[in-house]
Amino acid sequence: MQGLWAVSAALVLAGAGLTGASVPSGAAMPGMGATASASACSTAWGSGVKTAAQAGVVPLRNVTVSRGACFDRMVFDVTGVSGKVGYHVGYVETFHQDGSGDPIPVRGGAILQIFVSAPSYDPVTLQPTYAGRAGKPLPGVNVAGYKTFRDTRFGASFEGQTQVGLGVRARLPFRVLQTRDKVIVDVAHTW
C-alpha cells in the first residue's frame, strides 16, 4: 500500500512540474511552448559577455519584446538570413553611441549593451530597414509593466551592426539565442 501511495505522490508532483506557469497570451516566444516548467527558470546563464561570429550581412527589420514566466525577451528580426547572425551582448557602466562615443542615458539598475551584426539599412541601396534613431527609445517597443526591462535606447547602426541599450532592473543573468531569422535576448527575472 505504501508503494502505491509513493507512486501516486510522484505522479502528482511530476504533473505539477509539467504544468508550470503559462506564458501570457499574445507573447510570442520562439522556442518556447505554451508552458514553462520550474526548471525553465534556471539562472545558470550567468551575466558575462556572450558573443557569436557572423556568417553574412542581412539588414535588421524589427525589434520586439515579450514577457515570459521566468524572463523578459527582446527579439531582433533579421528576415532573410540563412546562417548565423553575429552578436556581442554584455553589461556596461555607461551606454556610449557606437562611432561617436557620445553617452546615451538609459534608465534602470543596469545597462545591457547589445550589438547585432545586422545594419538598420539595406547594405546595397542604403535605404533604412529599421527606424531607430540615436538616443531615442526603440520604435514600437513599450516595456512598461515588464518585470525586468526598464528602458530601451537605439545607439547606432555603424559598420554593419546595430547597437541597442537595454535598461534592466538589475545586473541579472541573460542568454542569447538564434532561432531561424531571430536573435533573441532573454533576461531572467531573478538570480
Side-chain angles (χ1 to χ4, degrees), residues 10-85:
L11 288 173
V12 167
L13 290 174
L18 290 175
T19 60
S22 12
V23 174
S25 64
M29 301 290 259
M32 296 285 293
T35 62
S37 70
S39 65
C41 287
S42 170
T43 57
W45 306 335
S47 61
V49 172
K50 285 135 179 101
T51 63
Q54 72 184 48
V57 177
V58 174
L60 177 67
R61 301 292 179 189
N62 199 15
V63 180
T64 57
V65 292
S66 58
R67 295 178 271 194
C70 304
F71 52 82
D72 290 349
R73 173 169 281 184
M74 180 172 277
V75 178
F76 295 82
D77 179 3
V78 190
T79 301
V81 72
S82 59
K84 290 288 185 186
V85 176

Side-chain angles (χ1 to χ4, degrees), residues 8 33 40 55 70 100 107 114 117 120:
S8 296
C70 304
S100 74
R107 290 186 321 272
I114 304 166
S117 297
S120 64

Side-chain angles (χ1 to χ4, degrees), residues 138-175:
L138 300 180
V141 173
N142 182 356
V143 295
Y146 276 60
K147 191 165 185 171
T148 297
F149 292 172
R150 296 294 182 259
D151 193 14
T152 64
R153 296 293 160 170
F154 188 82
S157 189
F158 184 69
E159 295 184 348
Q161 63 184 5
T162 297
Q163 175 196 34
V164 168
L166 176 60
V168 296
R169 181 172 42 81
R171 191 178 179 117
L172 293 162
F174 70 94
R175 68 179 174 185

Side-chain angles (χ1 to χ4, degrees), residues 92-107 111 113 133-136 151 153-156 163 165:
V92 295
E93 292 300 317
T94 304
F95 184 59
H96 292 276
Q97 183 183 21
D98 194 24
S100 74
D102 293 340
I104 297 174
V106 182
R107 290 186 321 272
I111 303 167
Q113 178 170 253
R133 291 182 26 222
K136 302 295 182 190
D151 193 14
R153 296 293 160 170
F154 188 82
Q163 175 196 34

